[in-house]
Amino acid sequence: MSAWIALLVALLVATLVAYNGLVRSRERTREAWSGIDVQLTRRADLVPALVEVVAGYASHERETLTAVMEARASLVAAARPAVAANASAELGICLGQLFMVAEGYPELRAVESFVALQDQLTDLEEKLAYSRQFYNRNALDFNTRIRRFPTFLLARALRLPPFEFFDADEGAAELEIRFVGRNPRTGC
């Protein structure tokens, strides 16, 4: 009889340890996503100022400026990592096009506010890359936990879905478009 009680206690302890590990991993991944969300929001907040500065010098480039703002709106509306990754890639393409437009205006490149915004955007891109790596590492850890035996039994009982990865490479092939022509989906 005491062997059954010991086995039951061991099973209960193992279940509690597995549950706490899943909760910790899920919360770390959610925290990591919030880091990406902060960087994406900061990036999206820079876009209107950047568009305004460029519009002052290149007002006839309305199509590009509109495409940048539409891509920004898509990024702001994105809620899931995969959607946000695609929207972020589209915004990157449009910003690349915007900077190509700016190359044609030497007086714009000399404007202090434009240079400062460009530097801030570069800094944000580096922080976003780090945040993306941190999130994906945590998502991988959580996804591995919910697929390993015996924790997958608990994860299935709790109906814990895997996290999506924030894959920046989904739009990477489209980056070539800015050197070749316009992207038909965004107009960039």
Side-chain angles (χ1 to χ4, degrees):
M1 186 64 134
S2 65
W4 286 106
I5 293 174
L7 181 62
L8 187 60
V9 168
L11 186 60
L12 181 63
V13 168
T15 302
L16 289 174
V17 168
Y19 176 77
N20 288 336
L22 286 171
V23 168
R24 183 177 53 250
S25 182
R26 182 181 64 193
E27 294 307 311
R28 275 191 203 144
T29 306
R30 286 179 176 166
E31 176 202 8
W33 173 251
S34 72
I36 288 177
D37 194 40
V38 165
Q39 298 308 324
L40 290 175
T41 300
R42 290 178 66 204
R43 182 183 187 205
D45 289 347
L46 277 179
V47 170
L50 190 60
V51 167
E52 186 177 323
V53 170
V54 173
Y57 287 86
S59 59
H60 64 281
E61 297 285 350
R62 284 283 163 219
E63 185 178 316
T64 301
L65 300 174
T66 301
V68 170
M69 292 306 289
E70 287 172 359
R72 177 196 179 271
S74 295
L75 179 60
V76 170
R80 294 182 16 240
V83 175
N86 284 333
S88 179
E90 292 296 329
L91 181 58
I93 292 166
C94 289
L95 287 173
Q97 185 67 32
L98 183 69
F99 288 126
M100 286 180 60
V101 166
E103 288 294 318
Y105 298 89
E107 63 277 3
L108 174 60
R109 290 182 311 197
V111 173
E112 196 172 306
S113 60
F114 178 74
V115 173
L117 288 168
Q118 206 171 14
D119 290 344
Q120 288 177 23
L121 191 58
T122 300
D123 183 51
L124 281 173
E125 293 298 330
E126 291 173 8
K127 289 176 181 176
L128 181 59
Y130 173 78
S131 296
R132 182 180 60 242
Q133 181 183 23
F134 183 66
Y135 167 79
N136 284 341
R137 192 176 325 120
N138 281 287
L140 176 64
D141 177 60
F142 179 79
N143 292 347
T144 301
R145 285 176 186 264
I146 66 171
R147 290 184 176 109
R148 279 192 303 199
F149 183 81
T151 53
F152 88 90
L153 297 172
L154 183 59
R156 184 169 289 174
L158 295 171
R159 294 187 172 118
L160 296 175
F163 281 96
E164 295 176 329
F165 290 102
F166 189 93
D167 188 7
D169 293 335
E170 289 180 21
E174 294 180 22
L175 290 175
E176 296 300 319
I177 292 171
R178 71 177 143 174
F179 298 110
V180 177
R182 295 200 180 276
N183 184 333
R185 287 190 294 165
T186 62
C188 293

